[in-house]
Amino acid sequence: MIGVFDSGLGGLSVLAAIATALPRADLLYLADSAHVPYGDKPDSFITSRVLAIGQHLADQGCTLLVVACNTATTAAIQALRDHLPGVPVVGVEPGVKPAAQASLSRHIAVLVTESTARSQRLAQLIERHAAGTRVDIVPCPGWATHVETLQADTPEFLKEIAAKIDPLVSSGVDQLVLGCTHYAFLAPLIAPRLQAQAELVDVAAAVARQVARLGGAHADGQGQLILLATASPERLRAALPALGLHALAARSSPAQLATL
Ligand code: DGL
């Protein structure tokens, strides 16, 4: 069984890509809804959550783990690998490399949580893969929480999106990286601001390909989906159709509360 987790609903964008790539895999998704968002929390807190969740998923029988969260990957993937040396762990990092490769203007932007924005790991990713490209790191506090409400398209939030995105597009950004898995669900609200001058970059499909490469025996099951949440499990199940994830909804049983 493959275990996938995030602070909340954002990782469902990665889960959907994995489910498409590996239709027979048994999947377990855990949303740490009691502690969402992670993006405004210190690394030490995020690391303690990631280790507790990783251990819980391994105890449930997961033999491959996917950290479907840029913030958690940045803060704690190494600690998780050290904690569970026998379990392969796939993380999610902002698509700086594909964006820099595709950029004609040599100017890209990365939308991230505050935690990812200040991380050494993002600075290194940019240094390694975007030399010669201007990279604007754009923290988006509160955006993941808007996704959690399942009602992000309020006039106030649409205004906030415009205020953040429009100056980037006017300054010549042609690749806009969704550097938080929650933001995939904001793509329909962000895309209209791009005026055919910029593209959104999301790495969910690439992560799913990586999981499929490691897949093997982990991916050979009944195609079932177990949902766990550390708070309000019924909200996690209800989010699937609300976010347009009907194939996942068809695969899943009612969500259960995970106490950890
Ligand atoms: N979905 C997460 C990410 O990819 C974090 C959102 C949050 O909890 O702040 O960064």
Side-chain angles (χ1 to χ4, degrees):
M1 183 157 61
I2 300 174
V4 182
F5 68 95
D6 178 39
S7 58
L9 304 178
L12 292 171
S13 57
V14 178
L15 181 73
I18 294 171
T20 304
L22 297 169
R24 295 222 320 269
D26 289 331
L27 303 169
L28 190 163
Y29 183 83
L30 187 143
D32 195 9
S33 12
H35 301 98
V36 67
Y38 283 173
D40 62 357
K41 309 273 193 319
D43 283 6
S44 54
F45 177 84
I46 299 168
T47 302
S48 71
R49 293 308 301 157
V50 166
L51 296 187
I53 293 167
Q55 185 62 56
H56 185 74
L57 296 183
D59 293 345
Q60 302 290 308
C62 294
T63 51
L64 170 63
L65 296 181
V66 182
V67 187
C69 174
N70 294 264
T71 306
T73 298
T74 301
I77 196 168
Q78 197 49 53
L80 182 60
R81 287 183 171 136
D82 293 345
H83 183 69
L84 296 171
V87 179
V89 180
V90 176
V92 177
E93 289 189 299
V96 168
K97 185 179 179 185
Q101 282 171 346
S103 176
L104 298 176
S105 64
R106 316 301 298 157
H107 187 183
I108 68 173
V110 192
L111 307 180
V112 283
T113 65
E114 297 143 282
S115 168
T116 304
R118 63 168 183 263
S119 72
Q120 205 42 38
R121 212 177 155 105
L122 178 60
Q124 285 163 356
L125 195 68
I126 290 169
E127 208 176 282
R128 215 174 323 126
H129 297 297
T133 297
R134 176 174 157 195
V135 183
D136 294 350
I137 299 174
V138 185
C140 302
W143 284 27
T145 303
H146 279 285
V147 173
E148 293 289 320
T149 66
L150 297 174
Q151 286 167 341
D153 57 346
T154 61
E156 296 75 29
F157 188 50
L158 289 175
K159 229 184 266 170
E160 190 179 327
I161 288 178
K164 191 82 91 178
I165 304 300
D166 293 0
L168 297 172
V169 177
S170 331
S171 70
V173 164
D174 69 349
Q175 299 287 318
L176 194 57
V177 179
L178 300 171
C180 166
T181 53
H182 279 77
Y183 303 166
F185 296 112
L186 298 177
L189 306 183
I190 298 173
R193 312 304 316 172
L194 305 182
Q195 305 161 16
Q197 290 179 49
E199 288 174 356
L200 292 177
V201 179
D202 182 27
V203 297
V207 171
R209 281 196 296 277
Q210 169 72 354
V211 173
R213 266 194 293 275
L214 292 172
H218 313 288
D220 201 14
Q222 318 289 319
Q224 59 169 321
L225 169 60
I226 298 170
L227 297 173
L228 298 178
T230 55
S232 314
E234 65 293 340
R235 288 197 67 247
L236 174 58
R237 178 66 178 73
L240 297 179
L243 293 171
L245 303 172
H246 303 289
L248 287 183
R251 239 164 123 147
S252 73
S253 40
Q256 305 290 322
L257 184 68
T259 2
L260 69 146

